[in-house]
Amino acid sequence: MTWMLVAVLSLFVLSNTIYVVKETERGVMLQFGEVVNPDIKPGLHVKIPFVNNVRKFEARLLTVDSTAERFFTQEKKALIVDSYAKFRVSDTAKFYTATNGEEARASALLGQRINDGLRNQVAIRTIQEVVSGQRDQLMEALTAELSEVAREEYGVEVLDVRVKQIDLPPDVSESVYRRMNAEREKEAREHRAQGQELAEGIRAAADREVTVIEANAYRDAELIRGEGDAQATGIYANAFNIDREFYSFTRSLRAYQDAFQNSGDLLLIQPDSEFFRYLKDSAGGK
């Protein structure tokens, strides 16, 4: 039993004597709460049990996601800005002293610093500059300023600060939407009015062109018709001058046909009328 107790005690002491720091970690050694080794390198190390205590921190990049805050621009316009930052521990002793080695506390402190820096940077710029014009310059200036302050106060290095999203407050967004909607409706009405004006002009030009074309066509048709009638009249005249009696005979036949085409018609004419000349004598009195 004695040897077993000695073995268990030795194992316990050994486990509290030897410790490992990974490549992805940073560590500090404490002696009764005081930092005695501020930068423990990765590897296998030995400490005095129950006297020394080792605190390990994440050496990789960490992210602090700040809550969206309302900031005012140079024109006193409100904006809702959402941002985040990337940082890592650079001074383990200062990091432990400032935050007690707690990443959550470090994130909270950096988040407050980020919001203060954003408030100052947004306040000296217009909405246009914050949204698009100088957005990159804003983030670069904030990163440089915040990195210096964080290194001195918290022992961390801020590598990048990024603005994820910029929104207008709900009440402002509604008014902006209404104004934009009114402007777009006004622009649409102007475009429709211009379109109607162009359409009326095109329609009037088309109607005028149709009228001109119809008038020219009618004129040409009447000229052609007149020339045809003249030619027909000349042909008829030449033909009838060859035998005038035959022409008179054919005209009488056409008159008879027109006069007696309806069976119910009555015609009262003297029997010796000139109208019946070719009915009485086919020779026409000759």
Side-chain angles (χ1 to χ4, degrees), residues 34-52:
E34 182 181 357
V35 178
V36 293
N37 187 356
D39 189 11
I40 302 176
K41 303 300 181 182
L44 184 65
H45 302 278
V46 178
K47 66 175 181 175
I48 301 175
F50 311 111
V51 175
N52 295 334

Side-chain angles (χ1 to χ4, degrees), residues 104-176:
R105 179 171 174 78
S107 297
L109 293 172
L110 284 176
Q112 184 60 42
R113 285 289 186 177
I114 291 173
N115 289 335
D116 294 340
L118 280 174
R119 182 175 294 103
N120 296 333
Q121 294 293 332
V122 171
I124 60 175
R125 291 176 171 84
T126 63
I127 290 182
Q128 178 67 25
E129 293 173 345
V130 172
V131 173
S132 60
Q134 298 182 7
R135 188 167 180 172
D136 292 338
Q137 293 88 327
L138 182 149
M139 291 185 292
E140 291 174 0
L142 182 58
T143 301
E145 177 184 353
L146 186 61
S147 181
E148 182 178 356
V149 173
R151 188 182 295 109
E152 293 179 358
E153 295 186 2
Y154 310 129
V156 298
E157 179 184 5
V158 178
L159 302 177
D160 194 15
V161 177
R162 289 289 163 182
V163 175
K164 293 191 297 184
Q165 188 174 5
I166 299 177
D167 289 326
L168 293 172
D171 52 342
V172 179
S173 298
E174 184 64 25
S175 63
V176 170

Side-chain angles (χ1 to χ4, degrees), residues 173-231:
S173 298
E174 184 64 25
S175 63
V176 170
Y177 171 76
R178 289 195 298 268
R179 184 171 65 252
M180 292 176 61
N181 191 28
E183 292 176 354
R184 294 300 178 270
E185 288 181 354
K186 179 182 177 181
E187 186 176 355
R189 287 194 297 269
E190 291 177 354
H191 284 305
R192 281 194 291 268
Q194 293 175 359
Q196 291 176 357
E197 182 180 357
L198 291 175
E200 291 295 332
I202 295 173
R203 193 176 294 110
D207 293 341
R208 181 172 63 254
E209 187 175 357
V210 168
T211 302
V212 171
I213 293 174
E214 289 179 347
N216 292 334
Y218 180 76
R219 180 197 61 194
D220 296 340
E222 289 299 320
L223 291 175
I224 296 173
R225 187 178 292 109
E227 293 176 357
D229 291 342
Q231 292 180 5

Side-chain angles (χ1 to χ4, degrees), residues 238-259:
N238 294 331
F240 293 149
N241 284 330
I242 296 174
D243 190 349
R244 295 187 177 183
E245 186 64 26
F246 179 74
Y247 173 65
S248 179
F249 175 70
T250 56
R251 287 191 62 186
S252 297
L253 291 180
R254 188 176 297 110
Y256 296 155
Q257 182 180 2
D258 294 339

